């Protein structure tokens, strides 16, 4: 996958690699990273492995990417996309981006933008006619910098 370098505030060189989630990433801080996005509960290794295998069984229709800080192996950022197959638009496809988060330790290095670009590039390659996501008002400016445009309102019902 893609590599990039950036300097941290101490001037030390950091190298990041963007790639698909691997089953071993739970031990590299993946679940802890997700807890910076929303409330998470403890997931056992068996639960993680079962869900990972389920998600990967969908092939390219459900992709989770991570950005790994190579020297430590720590997961610095993540995001996911699900491809919805529709009857509209000549049986078109829509990419739904979810769960974009950058570890507080690595913010300010444009990793979030790289995650969104990776996911939207995947959607384009899969033949999607659009990519959509839901976000809070406080994230609107960030996603506009990633090339997305405001298109309305989100509604939800939690169970």
């Amino acid at each position: 996958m893609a590599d990039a370098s950036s300097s941290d505030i101490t001037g030390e060189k950091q190298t990041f690699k963007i790639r698909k989630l691997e089953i071993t990433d739970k031990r590299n801080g993946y679940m802890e990273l997700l807890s910076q996005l929303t409330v998470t509960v403890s997931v056992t290794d068996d639960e993680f492995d079962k869900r990972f295998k389920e998600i990967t069984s969908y092939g390219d229709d459900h992709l989770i990417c991570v950005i790994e800080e190579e020297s430590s192996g720590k997961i610095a950022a993540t995001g996911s996309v699900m491809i919805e197959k529709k009857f509209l638009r000549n049986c078109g496809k829509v990419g739904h981006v979810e769960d974009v988060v950058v570890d507080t330790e690595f913010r300010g290095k444009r990793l979030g933008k790289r995650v969104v670009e990776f996911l939207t590039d995947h959607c384009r390659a899969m033949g999607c006619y659009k990519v959509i996501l839901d976000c809070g008002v406080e994230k609107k400016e960030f996603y506009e910098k990633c090339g997305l445009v405001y298109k309305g309102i989100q509604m939800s019902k939690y169970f």
Side-chain angles (χ1 to χ4, degrees):
M1 296 286 163
D3 290 325
S5 298
S6 66
S7 296
D8 66 16
I9 56 174
T10 64
E12 296 175 18
K13 196 76 161 171
Q14 290 181 304
T15 304
F16 298 92
K17 176 172 60 176
I18 190 164
R19 59 173 173 77
K20 291 180 180 180
L21 180 73
E22 297 173 356
I23 200 162
T24 56
D25 285 330
K26 182 176 185 279
R27 71 173 181 250
N28 295 329
Y30 179 72
M31 293 303 298
E32 292 81 0
L33 176 59
L34 289 179
S35 72
Q36 293 182 34
L37 179 66
T38 190
V39 177
T40 59
V41 296
S42 180
V43 174
T44 68
D45 289 345
D46 286 342
E47 291 169 326
F48 185 89
D49 292 354
K50 183 178 178 182
R51 181 53 48 99
F52 178 86
K53 289 174 184 169
E54 177 186 359
I55 290 169
T56 56
S57 76
Y58 301 129
D60 288 333
D61 285 342
H62 191 162
L63 173 75
I64 300 173
C65 75
V66 298
I67 295 182
E68 173 188 351
E69 196 284 308
E70 291 193 288
S71 67
S72 65
K74 185 174 181 179
I75 303 303
T78 188
S80 66
V81 68
M82 291 157 282
I83 308 294
E84 175 189 7
K85 293 178 171 96
K86 304 181 73 74
F87 288 106
L88 298 172
R89 303 256 181 155
N90 287 333
C91 294
K93 300 177 193 175
V94 174
H96 295 265
V97 171
E98 289 281 341
D99 304 335
V100 175
V101 62
V102 177
D103 190 296
T104 55
E105 178 183 345
F106 299 104
R107 290 184 186 164
K109 299 177 184 294
R110 303 177 59 88
L111 300 180
K113 189 171 193 285
R114 289 193 56 219
V115 166
V116 173
E117 288 170 349
F118 183 90
L119 297 173
T120 56
D121 287 348
H122 176 75
C123 291
R124 183 179 292 114
M126 292 292 294
C128 293
Y129 69 89
K130 72 177 176 178
V131 176
I132 60 176
L133 60 81
D134 298 320
C135 70
V137 174
E138 71 281 359
K139 300 292 183 206
K140 180 178 176 278
E141 186 177 332
F142 165 74
Y143 286 112
E144 287 174 337
K145 289 178 183 176
C146 294
L148 286 93
V149 295
Y150 177 77
K151 292 297 278 188
I153 188 168
Q154 172 207 30
M155 305 292 289
S156 63
K157 184 173 186 175
Y158 288 83
F159 302 104

